[in-house]
Amino acid sequence: MISAEAMASTQAALRHFRVEVAEGVATVLVDDPGEKVNTIHPALTAELVTVLERLDRDEAVRAVVLGSGKEDGFVAGAKIDLMRGATDAGAMERLSRDGQAVFERVARFRKPVVAAIHGACLGGGLELALACRYRVATNHPRTSLGLVEVQLGIIPGMGGTQRLPRLVGIQAALDLILAGKTVNARKALRLGLVDEAVPPAVLLAVARERARALAAGELRRRPARRPAVERVTRLALEENRLGREVLFRQARKQVLARTKGHYPAPLRALEAIEHGYRFGFAKGLEREAQLLGQLAAGPVAKQLIEVFFASTALKKDSGVDDPAVKPRPVERVGVLGGGLMGSGIAYVTVNAGLPVRLRERDDAAAAKGLSAVAAVLDERVRRRSIDRLERLEKLRLLTATTDWSGFGAVDLVIEAVFEDLALKQEMVRAFEAVNPRGFFASNTSSIPITRIAEASAHPETVLGMHYFSPVHRMPLLEVIATGRTAPEAIATAVALGKRQGKTVIVVRDGPGFYTSRILAPYMNEAAQLLVEGASVEDLDHALVSFGFPVGPITLLDEVGIDVGDKVGKILHEAFGERMASPAALHDVVAAGRLGRKNGKGFYTYGGKEKRVDETVYDLLPGGRSRKPFSPGDIQERVVLQMVNEAIRCLGEGILRSARDGDVGAVFGLGFPPFRGGPFRWADSLGTKALLEKLETLRARHGERFAPAPLLVERGATNAPFHG
Ligand code: NAI
């Protein structure tokens, strides 16, 4: 032990670190004051240098453990605020170089530094850990490691592009960096990204022991043991120049296919890695910083970072404006209907650790619902994201019934029976008979919640929770409040949605709520173009090249042409002519084409390749002779319909904010994230220019392009939607 005096001097004037020295090992805990998670920023790295200098001089210190003072996170990344709205590539490059220099000092520190990792170890956090000589991580489910920068449109900028491939191999590093993937401790161990995985209770003790042993020369890092095949491919591909060129070429091809040229970051990351192998580590670092600077100041990172901030802000948003409103604690959830949606909702709920009571019509349907949940869990076991014990624990939380037993004890019920108003109203009455206090949330896709609530003696307990299919994958939840829904009910549904891992927006009740409402005119315009003679391929291709994950006609086939048609009719009735879908679409449905589900849609199914079914054109005006339309014209017409409708939703108070509108479209409909969402995109075009575009389209194609009143107002002074 060292003297209290020496310890006090080591700790003196430190704000971001807690340092403790015992038996020759200094334990340095990162603890950013006043923050829930640690992030890397200049004040912190400057202080890290001070800490290193002190520890260097301190003869009593022979080794160092670097851990976190936060309960459940190591370091979550670089402080992204530093890059928000960045326009100066040079300044961003300098920021990166400064960070690199500090991490270089960690890497070259003459006493061994061991990283003790528990919780999120992402981006700059992992780069810090990579600079350490040895890494111990906890095998806790919260622990995740990854260089996720490309998700924000940037690349690792503190040595990650150079250190990771040298540690885990080029192929493994490319897999992680180019997709911004994270791995758990088990996978990290297999990759050689960490040296040991241990239970949280012994993390610091193990790390200290390893630090001591490294200093004493009793322990040397062993490279991860790899299967023979992997060793051979490594030798062939990674350890010679020609092999590496093959690897990089393949990776570049894959990235281009995946990003369709919209996201520059993965290619730049690849460039930094390649540069480091060609010209050495130091040159690699230089290139990394340069490229990071350019990306951070560019338009794609700007939008992706805003999407990140918007979804982070939503995590802290209770869903109601009054801070005095608190969600009711939810300990048990009921689900009505165990079909496609109900089973998905049951899964995300038990996955969050909450008991679920599921009601179905009969035993067979109940059994089907249970097996659907089990199937998702089985898939996770196969992918090794959970083990068999965890599967069992989650499944045990789910029970099914065909009566109302157990529903008196739930705090909230989510209804996902057939899309039928009378049936849903019957569910409301029956539920209230056994549970007058519980909240009733409907997952209806198109019935106004207000109508469902008409059956209730307590309409303040009724609201909508609109999930997307498949529920376990789609990140968005739209919570729908009627004019009478109690704020407490809204806050409760929002809190539950967050526990289920969803990004939640709250919207006001109205036909189509928000997401279906803005999707309808987008789909209608695509259908209109079909009627005018555009080809299915041209339409899908145009919107995919705009950045949507799939084109509108593919989407229609996937969702079901009949479903699209049905929702379209409801919205047409509600909003009148501007939402009318072309009559030809009804003919397609009438001809028995429902889309993928019955193997007959705009595309053919069953063959090896997805191909347009030319016979569908016989049902459309113009028949099989299609006319060329430019991608630009298609994009403008189809996307502006969506954007204009989103602006109407904001103007009418369906949306609480432009932020929610952006997040809803990006997470619910696949609006291209690099464009920031309809409102950010509108701002980037300029509201004045957007207004003019719509007026031009209106003159050419008719009143359905009449600009939203709020756009007319903002466009007059070119005022943006985001302040
Ligand atoms: P589904 O047909 O797969 O499931 C409905 C389930 O409700 C069936 O398993 C049926 O047996 C059960 N059911 C019927 N009457 C019942 C009763 N009296 N008590 C208990 N269970 C009963 O339908 P899906 O797709 O799951 O849709 C359910 C609801 O979710 C609908 O309101 C739909 O509009 C909505 N929705 C559907 C989406 C989708 O993509 N399929 C997306 C968002 C919402």
Side-chain angles (χ1 to χ4, degrees):
M1 295 295 272
I2 64 161
S3 69
E5 196 183 335
M7 248 180 77
S9 87
T10 316
Q11 181 64 53
L14 293 179
R15 291 194 62 238
H16 303 89
F17 295 90
R18 282 188 274 134
V19 182
E20 217 177 87
V21 181
E23 290 161 18
V25 178
T27 304
V28 179
L29 301 182
V30 189
D31 199 352
D32 213 350
E35 303 288 342
K36 247 184 91 188
V37 294
N38 291 320
T39 55
I40 306 280
H41 50 84
L44 185 136
T45 47
E47 209 175 280
L48 180 57
V49 172
T50 310
V51 171
L52 290 173
E53 279 166 359
R54 286 184 197 170
L55 295 175
D56 190 36
R57 283 194 306 267
D58 191 337
E59 289 306 322
V61 172
R62 287 189 301 278
V64 180
V65 166
L66 188 61
S68 163
K70 304 291 181 201
E71 185 91 342
D72 45 36
F74 179 71
V75 178
K79 197 176 184 77
I80 298 161
D81 309 60
L82 295 169
M83 281 175 212
R84 195 171 188 180
T87 48
D88 181 351
M92 290 297 113
E93 180 179 337
R94 279 193 296 282
L95 203 62
S96 163
R97 279 176 189 271
D98 292 347
Q100 286 177 346
V102 175
F103 287 11
E104 263 306 278
R105 292 180 78 143
V106 175
R108 290 170 185 277
F109 200 58
R110 65 189 173 92
K111 307 173 185 184
V113 183
V114 173
I117 302 162
H118 173 65
C121 176
L122 305 173
L126 181 55
E127 294 181 288
L128 177 57
L130 285 169
C132 296
R133 206 175 301 174
Y134 194 91
R135 283 153 294 277
V136 186
T138 67
N139 52 17
H140 192 274
R142 263 219 191 96
T143 296
S144 73
L145 305 97
L147 294 177
V148 293
E149 285 84 348
V150 297
Q151 293 186 14
L152 295 174
I154 52 176
I155 62 172
M158 289 179 284
T161 64
Q162 306 305 307
R163 287 200 177 90
L164 187 65
R166 285 168 179 80
L167 183 68
V168 302
I170 297 174
Q171 186 61 60
L174 292 176
D175 288 346
L176 286 171
I177 296 176
L178 304 190
K181 260 202 302 215
T182 62
V183 293
N184 60 19
R186 203 178 326 172
K187 180 84 194 283
L189 189 62
R190 225 171 28 238
L191 291 174
L193 178 55
V194 300
D195 301 286
E196 283 179 74
V198 302
V202 298
L203 174 67
L204 283 181
V206 171
R208 285 189 190 114
E209 166 51 27
R210 300 302 179 260
R212 185 205 62 75
L214 282 166
E218 296 165 17
L219 172 70
R220 303 193 45 171
R221 271 204 67 242
R222 269 183 322 217
R225 245 176 295 149
R226 296 174 200 285
V229 194
E230 212 182 304
R231 284 204 301 271
V232 173
T233 44
R234 268 195 177 217
L235 207 65
L237 287 175
E238 302 203 357
E239 284 160 33
N240 69 80
R241 195 174 54 84
L242 283 176
R244 283 198 296 267
E245 272 171 23
V246 172
L247 263 186
F248 290 133
R249 216 177 17 245
Q250 273 171 354
R252 183 164 290 117
K253 244 173 55 198
Q254 282 167 7
V255 165
L256 281 171
R258 188 160 45 84
T259 60
K260 306 195 172 67
H262 290 313
Y263 297 86
L267 283 183
R268 297 290 97 84
L270 190 60
E271 189 182 331
I273 296 168
E274 206 173 348
H275 199 82
Y277 276 93
R278 267 223 197 121
F279 305 105
F281 189 88
K283 290 278 175 213
L285 284 181
E286 274 174 30
R287 178 53 64 92
E288 177 188 275
Q290 266 168 13
L291 293 171
L292 169 78
Q294 291 165 14
L295 287 167
V300 171
K302 176 179 154 51
Q303 296 292 21
L304 292 178
I305 286 172
E306 290 303 340
V307 171
F308 170 82
F309 275 109
S311 60
T312 311
L314 276 169
K315 286 194 185 113
K316 295 181 192 146
D317 189 335
S318 72
V320 293
D321 297 330
D322 181 355
V325 174
K326 297 282 174 260
R328 193 187 285 177
V330 169
E331 279 164 20
R332 268 187 195 78
V333 175
V335 175
L336 304 177
L340 179 73
M341 298 304 288
S343 60
I345 295 164
Y347 163 75
V348 294
T349 313
V350 296
N351 190 46
L354 280 165
V356 170
R357 186 73 167 158
L358 176 73
R359 181 180 195 274
E360 254 296 348
R361 291 192 287 179
D362 50 44
D363 289 349
K368 228 173 124 192
L370 292 178
S371 13
V373 176
V376 180
L377 289 166
D378 287 341
E379 175 57 25
R380 287 190 59 191
V381 172
R382 250 194 311 280
R383 282 189 292 109
R384 299 209 235 181
S385 84
I386 54 171
D387 60 30
R388 301 205 68 80
L389 185 64
E390 286 165 300
R391 169 193 180 277
L392 206 64
E393 278 168 355
K394 290 178 195 292
L395 209 51
R396 249 203 328 243
L397 293 170
L398 177 63
T399 59
T401 176
T402 55
D403 56 24
W404 289 97
S405 62
F407 279 84
V410 305
D411 304 289
L412 180 147
V413 73
I414 303 168
E415 170 278 307
V417 299
F418 299 136
E419 186 74 345
D420 173 339
L421 175 61
L423 179 62
K424 290 187 191 286
Q425 290 189 332
E426 185 191 320
M427 294 295 110
V428 170
R429 287 190 210 100
F431 176 66
E432 285 184 2
V434 296
N435 191 337
R437 251 180 59 79
F439 295 128
F440 186 98
S442 174
N443 177 50
T444 173
S445 47
S446 59
I447 303 172
I449 305 300
T450 313
R451 296 299 311 278
I452 298 173
E454 281 167 9
S456 171
H458 316 280
E460 68 280 3
T461 61
V462 181
L463 75 171
M465 286 176 85
H466 182 212
Y467 293 83
F468 293 73
S469 174
V471 181
H472 65 285
R473 290 231 192 83
M474 294 295 286
L476 188 73
L477 168 65
E478 206 174 5
V479 166
I480 302 128
T482 73
R484 302 178 69 176
T485 309
E488 189 196 18
I490 301 170
T492 305
V494 169
L496 174 60
K498 288 182 200 164
R499 284 173 79 179
Q500 292 167 331
K502 301 298 172 200
T503 299
V504 192
I505 60 170
V506 175
V507 305
R508 215 190 62 204
D509 192 23
F513 317 128
Y514 170 62
T515 49
S516 304
R517 174 167 164 187
I518 68 168
L519 185 61
Y522 165 99
M523 297 298 263
N524 285 345
E525 197 59 30
Q528 181 59 37
L529 277 150
L530 265 184
V531 168
E532 288 173 28
S535 71
V536 170
E537 290 99 331
D538 281 355
L539 281 167
D540 274 354
H541 183 259
L543 275 306
V544 168
S545 82
F546 183 80
F548 278 94
V550 297
I553 309 300
T554 296
L555 183 64
L556 200 53
D557 259 11
E558 294 295 328
V559 171
I561 308 173
D562 56 327
V563 175
D565 194 39
K566 202 171 142 191
V567 176
K569 273 186 196 140
I570 295 173
L571 295 177
H572 182 186
E573 268 169 36
F575 296 108
E577 272 318 287
R578 76 182 159 85
M579 284 273 197
S581 60
L585 206 58
H586 314 314
D587 299 341
V588 173
V589 180
R593 290 180 187 260
L594 306 184
R596 180 192 278 283
K597 64 184 165 193
N598 76 344
K600 233 174 140 46
F602 288 96
Y603 288 91
T604 57
Y605 296 91
K608 261 198 213 122
E609 243 177 281
K610 182 173 139 181
R611 287 217 330 270
V612 172
D613 182 353
E614 294 283 328
T615 61
V616 75
Y617 291 137
D618 299 339
L619 300 164
L620 300 171
R624 295 192 194 192
S625 67
R626 296 282 105 188
K627 283 190 241 159
F629 280 80
S630 83
D633 285 345
I634 295 175
Q635 290 165 356
E636 187 169 281
R637 283 176 59 177
V638 176
V639 178
L640 289 193
Q641 279 290 349
M642 178 181 274
V643 172
N644 194 33
E645 197 62 32
I647 298 170
R648 283 183 194 274
C649 288
L650 184 63
E652 293 170 21
I654 294 286
L655 287 169
R656 292 170 70 217
S657 63
R659 172 201 73 187
D660 289 7
D662 284 334
V663 169
V666 169
F667 290 175
L669 302 175
F671 192 98
F674 71 93
R675 299 188 192 273
F679 295 95
R680 289 267 171 212
W681 188 59
D683 286 352
S684 74
L685 297 176
T687 50
K688 183 159 183 282
L690 179 61
L691 179 61
E692 285 163 6
K693 266 189 200 218
L694 276 161
E695 288 294 8
T696 308
L697 289 169
R698 179 192 204 171
R700 201 174 298 155
H701 302 287
E703 279 306 300
R704 66 179 186 282
F705 280 100
L710 182 64
L711 178 61
V712 174
E713 188 191 309
R714 297 283 161 102
T717 57
N718 200 24
F721 292 104
H722 288 276

